Amino acid sequence: MDRKRRKMALKIWMLDRDISQETIANALGMTRSRVSTYLGSEIVTRTIFDRFVSVGIPPELLPEPRDLQKRGPHRRTGTLPVQEGTV
């Protein structure tokens, strides 16, 4: 289902059950603005997806879940090489 149809189906589902974004936000412990952002997205993290499902929203009405990917170079622990005359 494309994003536009999914959002419309979600709105209908919510209207049929008299559920607002504020109600969802309260159940999830987040702001209504954040709920709106997540529900309007094309993808969300798996954690966020699971949280919405846990409060009763049908998975097929939610954005596609994705696992987080680590970004950037891997950080190493250790010491920096010290050049003579710099310390």
Side-chain angles (χ1 to χ4, degrees):
M1 175 178 330
D2 69 12
R3 182 174 151 206
K4 194 172 187 177
R5 289 183 188 274
R6 181 191 57 76
K7 285 175 64 176
M8 185 60 67
L10 177 59
K11 284 182 184 182
I12 292 168
W13 182 86
M14 290 170 62
L15 285 170
D16 286 346
R17 288 156 183 80
D18 196 28
I19 297 173
S20 67
Q21 287 186 355
E22 187 71 32
T23 303
I24 295 168
N26 290 336
L28 292 172
M30 60 178 69
T31 65
R32 189 211 50 80
S33 175
R34 179 65 65 185
V35 167
S36 179
T37 299
Y38 285 140
L39 294 179
S41 299
E42 289 188 38
I43 60 170
V44 292
T45 64
R46 174 70 60 185
T47 303
I48 294 298
F49 180 87
D50 290 344
R51 286 183 69 192
F52 278 96
V53 171
S54 74
V55 296
I57 300 176
E60 63 273 10
L61 300 179
L62 293 170
E64 182 180 338
R66 296 276 171 93
D67 292 319
L68 282 177
Q69 300 294 319
K70 291 187 179 183
R71 292 193 233 169
H74 295 287
R75 295 184 182 188
R76 297 181 198 173
T77 58
T79 59
L80 296 173
V82 178
Q83 297 176 349
E84 286 186 35
T86 60
V87 178

